[in-house]
Amino acid sequence: MATLIVSGDTSQSAFNEEFGEHYSSLREGALSEKLAKHIMPARIFLQKHLDLWHTTYNVSKLDFYIDTESSNSDSSITQKKNMRHIWILDICFGLGYNALLSRIFASYDNVHIHIVSLEQDRHTLMLAKAIHMLDSHIIEHLRLGECVQILANPTKNSSVSLQIIWGDAKDQLAILAHHYEQNLDCMTSDFYGFDIVYHDPFSSSKNPSLWDREYFDLLFRITKSSCLITTYATKKNLIEIVQDVGFLTYRYRVDSMQLRHLKALLEDILKDQMPSGFISALQEKRLSFADSTEMSRSNNSILADSALRKKCTIRSSSLFSKTPLCFMHNVSSA
């Protein structure tokens, strides 16, 4: 199993031997990269859209659900006023940063966040347990591919659940798309396509099947008309493929002030929900740097240079959507 190492912002990452890449940018730092390129744009998207979704989508489908446990037939259709179901597709689970940092969205009122992660390597689950302080109960449900609640916010009437679907990501995505289009209830009665997709696999040179046109065709089929796809990649050939499929493309870059604010908000939201020391464990400065045998000499030099780490900035990333992201004031078309 891979060994946890320290990345540029002192949060923990690891090296995947099969694909020959780290799970995150060592220069930018695992926590900072995931927050900046996935969680931040998803947060902006949700903030701007939650109040609009009751008119964008079929309200009758979102505001009512079948109460199968009710003994009163007259109340089998129960109104859930203002409860919104948000579906997030996480490709791939990896070390769990994107999926588990999405617990921050429990700060919204009357929202249930459903996260579905695709992952083929079961060994990553134990690394995620160590990084995110997951208890054995949650780990066992995730190991079995079961849906489990990973955070509840009773004061907001909000919660976050996670399910990992194990197997080849492209194969599993094709199965989900088929079931979705055949109305076979592949998720639950509240599923009408994904609202957000974290596209965060290994690079196209190492994992090309998750960057080709066939793959993005599948994403187009299984996402809502108002959706957001986040990814770290910005290469021209990728943009051309995505645009050819039918997505709009944008270049995005978070500023350092936004990132600091998001980290503070994350700590505030999770402080009463998570074990003591959770945030500090994500960025544990007492961890020793990995041996040079664990990474390339260039990466080892980056991590050993504390002055360079302080100067590191987050590089730009890409956002894809089916409808214009006009609310993203700091996003320009790619």
Side-chain angles (χ1 to χ4, degrees), residues 2 10 12 32-33 36 55 63 68 84 86 141 156 200 204 206-207 236 239 251 291 325 328 334:
T10 71
Q12 300 171 74
S32 297
E33 181 193 28
T55 56
D63 285 353
T68 57
R84 294 175 176 88
I86 312 303
H141 281 288
K156 294 286 188 176
D200 197 17
S204 57
K206 302 292 186 177
N207 195 6
K236 182 179 179 181
I239 300 303
R251 182 68 63 89
D291 295 332
L325 299 177
M328 293 283 200

Side-chain angles (χ1 to χ4, degrees), residues 21 30 33 64 75 92 108 144 191 198 208-209 250 277 291 297 316:
E21 285 188 349
E33 181 193 28
F64 292 86
S75 61
C92 301
Y108 296 116
L144 296 174
F191 180 73
Y198 301 140
S209 67
Y250 297 83
D291 295 332
R297 180 175 298 176
S316 59

Side-chain angles (χ1 to χ4, degrees), residues 293-320:
T293 55
E294 294 289 336
M295 62 183 79
S296 69
R297 180 175 298 176
S298 59
N299 283 333
N300 194 58
S301 299
I302 289 170
L303 298 182
D305 189 341
S306 59
L308 179 60
R309 291 204 308 274
K310 293 178 181 178
K311 296 179 181 178
C312 287
T313 57
I314 302 296
R315 290 170 290 188
S316 59
S317 57
S318 297
L319 306 178
F320 310 142

